[in-house]
Amino acid sequence: MAAFQQTYGLPPTGVFDAATFQVFRGVWQERRPFVMARLRQECPEPPPINQLGYLVASEEHADRLTRLLRRDVLDAYRRLVAAARAEVPEAEADPELLQIFSGFRDPEADAARCAQDRNCDGLRRAVCSPHRTGTAVDLYVGQLQGMGVDSTAAASRQHMSRTATYRWLVANAGRFGFVPYVFEPWHWEYVKPWDDSFAP
C-alpha cells in the first residue's frame, strides 16, 4: 500500500485512507476504455451485428434473458467460466454462479426502455451504457435473500464482494481480458480490442 501511495504522490502511510481510495478508484476506472470514452464526451457505437454471438441457455441467468455478446468477448467469457469452475469449488458446485443476466443491449431498445420507465438518471439505467458495446457482462455472483441480482444496497454489494467467486474474479478476470466496475460487483467489461480472428 505504501508503495502504491508513493507511486501516485501520496504520503506513504500504508493506510488505505480516503485520499488513497480516490486515487485507487481513478486508476481502476482508467482501465475501462468505456469510461475514458465517456470522459471525452463520446458514446461508443454498438458493434456490427456480424460481430455478435449467441449465448446458450446454460450461460443465461433465469432472472433476465440476454442473448448476445461480441463473439470474441463470448469466447473469453467461456474461458473465464471454465477456469473458475476448475479453480473455485463454490463455482463448480453451483452452475448458476457466473451466468450472465445482462450482456449486449441494443441502444435503441435501451433508450425506449429509459423513456418508458423514466429512469435514465445515470444510476438505475445509464443513458449511454457500456452494454451497448457488446463487451460488458453482468455476472451472477450470488445475492442476499429478498434482494435482486443487481441490488446496489450496501448489504447486497458487501455480500457479493465476500463470495469466493467474486474474489476469484478480482484476482483472475484480468487473465481473460475483463476488468471490474467496483461499485457493482456483478459488472465486468472486456477491455481488449476486437479480435479479427473472430470475423465471419
Side-chain angles (χ1 to χ4, degrees):
M1 183 56 63
F4 174 87
Q5 291 167 323
Q6 191 164 21
T7 298
Y8 290 96
L10 297 167
T13 63
V15 176
F16 193 60
D17 55 18
T20 304
F21 172 74
Q22 290 302 325
V23 172
F24 182 76
R25 184 175 68 171
V27 170
W28 222 350
Q29 292 285 61
E30 286 172 2
R31 295 179 183 171
R32 298 171 59 206
F34 184 84
V35 168
M36 303 315 290
R38 295 301 289 140
L39 290 175
R40 296 188 302 269
Q41 305 297 310
E42 298 170 6
C43 186
E45 289 297 317
I49 193 71
N50 66 358
Q51 290 184 4
L52 297 173
Y54 282 93
L55 280 71
V56 297
S58 63
E59 295 168 332
E60 296 186 295
H61 194 266
D63 275 17
R64 300 181 195 148
L65 296 181
T66 185
R67 289 289 176 219
L68 299 165
L69 278 180
R70 215 175 67 182
R71 281 188 285 118
D72 56 336
V73 179
L74 183 53
D75 179 70
Y77 160 76
R78 287 172 174 160
R79 286 185 281 111
L80 177 147
V81 170
R85 302 232 187 276
E87 298 171 23
V88 185
E90 173 188 80
E92 173 62 22
D94 184 355
E96 190 175 15
L97 287 167
L98 298 175
Q99 288 179 332
I100 296 174
F101 62 86
S102 188
F104 171 72
R105 296 204 303 248
D106 178 72
E108 290 183 13
D110 234 11
R113 186 172 170 190
C114 277
Q116 178 183 344
D117 296 348
R118 295 193 177 137
N119 67 353
C120 299
D121 56 11
L123 179 61
R124 287 172 290 171
R125 183 165 296 278
V127 174
C128 179
S129 166
H131 287 278
R132 73 190 287 128
T133 65
T135 62
V137 291
D138 289 345
L139 303 175
Y140 180 76
V141 292
Q143 68 190 110
L144 279 177
Q145 188 172 7
M147 294 192 175
V149 295
D150 59 355
S151 169
T152 57
S156 172
R157 291 186 295 119
Q158 182 181 60
H159 171 78
M160 292 178 197
S161 67
R162 290 180 171 172
T163 65
T165 299
Y166 176 76
R167 290 176 180 241
W168 182 90
L169 285 169
V170 170
N172 294 280
R175 288 165 37 198
F176 305 92
F178 291 92
V179 296
Y181 171 40
V182 184
F183 184 73
E184 298 177 350
W186 56 87
H187 183 94
W188 295 79
E189 293 173 24
Y190 187 76
V191 297
K192 294 182 179 178
W194 163 254
D195 183 343
D196 288 328
S197 70
F198 287 86

